[in-house]
Amino acid sequence: MPRFHVPVPLAAGAALALPPGAARHVQVLRLQPGDGITLFNGEGGEWSATVTRMGRSDVDVAVQTHTPVEREAARAVHLAVGLMAAERMDWLVEKATELGAASLTPLLMARSSLRLSGERATKKRAHWQAVAAASCEQNGRNRLLDVREQLTFQEHLMQPADVAGTRWVLSLAPEAESLRARAAALAPQAAVHLLSGPEGGLSPDEDAAARAAGWLPIDLGPRVLRAETAPLAALACLSLP
């Protein structure tokens, strides 16, 4: 059954005009009055609904029953990733959502190929949140990846430490520890914060600053992975059963 993200309050028995994006999607699918759909608003669970009217550019639905199903990973993994080329960031957001990441913070770092500020940063964040919502429609998640406000690398290091979580930085340093071995030693629901660089990785100064701030260097094995692949490989190791 087609799934649609609708960022509005939902209640059984409510008559609802779908937001423009969802309405366009319903029309593209050529759904008709009487057809069933699934709605979710990111607050947990999903709602069955029925299309009641198809307008030229608007769609009305009747909201029915709520099912409190959750498809989240047992472990919350929070990614902080250096900004990289736009198409790579889009792909990363989509796949991080599929793999169950709890949040993603874009970081402006020394080697970032994409540099955003002001209104451009605000628009790009909204775009990535929309990419995450579209991914949730496809993959069955009922809670969205939280795409957080862009920070500089230094601002991120100044964030208060999460005493309930573990902070790891992906590193190619010889002394970096195995992520697989570290993950095996974690409690099943222990949160993890992962820091990963853009194309070219962290600069030497950034690597040193991260370690000084308490981030443990972790590696993914003998092969060098692309900037958009490395955090996803780590995420898969940490979040998949």
Side-chain angles (χ1 to χ4, degrees):
M1 187 174 294
R3 287 168 43 86
F4 302 95
H5 174 243
V6 287
V8 297
L10 296 172
L16 175 70
L18 292 181
R24 284 193 298 273
H25 194 179
V26 167
Q27 291 170 332
V28 167
L29 292 175
R30 300 183 181 275
L31 298 182
Q32 298 299 319
D35 287 342
I37 60 175
T38 299
L39 305 177
F40 66 100
N41 61 7
E43 297 178 6
E46 58 193 24
W47 300 78
S48 61
T50 300
V51 176
T52 57
R53 188 183 71 85
M54 298 286 292
R56 291 177 60 87
S57 60
D58 56 321
V59 175
D60 293 342
V61 301
V63 182
Q64 296 165 337
T65 57
H66 179 257
T67 303
V69 60
E70 295 293 354
R71 303 182 180 97
E72 297 301 293
R75 185 193 314 283
V77 180
H78 302 276
L79 301 179
V81 181
L83 283 164
M84 59 194 81
E87 67 277 5
R88 294 186 180 186
M89 285 296 297
D90 284 6
W91 190 82
L92 174 61
V93 169
E94 178 183 84
K95 303 309 176 187
T97 305
E98 288 182 24
L99 289 169
S103 71
L104 187 149
T105 303
L107 300 181
L108 184 59
M109 301 178 71
R111 294 172 175 167
S112 290
S113 58
L114 179 66
R115 311 190 79 82
L116 301 170
S117 61
E119 185 177 356
R120 285 189 66 216
T122 300
K123 288 183 177 180
K124 189 61 76 171
R125 181 187 182 189
H127 167 73
W128 288 326
Q129 195 67 75
V131 170
S135 181
C136 285
E137 289 179 346
Q138 180 274 327
N139 66 45
R141 286 184 71 175
N142 289 320
R143 296 185 185 271
L144 272 60
L145 170 74
D146 179 14
V147 181
R148 296 181 175 174
E149 182 179 1
Q150 175 187 300
L151 299 175
T152 66
F153 176 75
Q154 292 75 18
E155 287 171 338
H156 182 64
L157 291 190
M158 293 172 61
Q159 296 290 299
D162 181 355
V163 296
T166 297
R167 298 187 296 168
W168 295 341
V169 55
L170 298 183
S171 174
L172 297 174
E175 67 274 17
E177 300 186 29
S178 164
L179 181 140
R180 188 178 297 276
R182 276 281 176 171
L186 287 177
Q189 295 184 327
V192 174
H193 298 258
L194 279 176
L195 172 59
S196 184
E199 300 97 327
L202 280 70
S203 71
D205 287 346
E206 288 170 337
D207 185 73
R211 296 187 194 210
W215 292 77
L216 179 71
I218 292 291
D219 74 29
L220 296 171
R223 294 179 299 279
V224 177
L225 303 183
R226 293 169 66 106
E228 70 273 29
T229 307
L232 297 177
L235 179 58
C237 180
L238 290 165
S239 62
L240 293 180

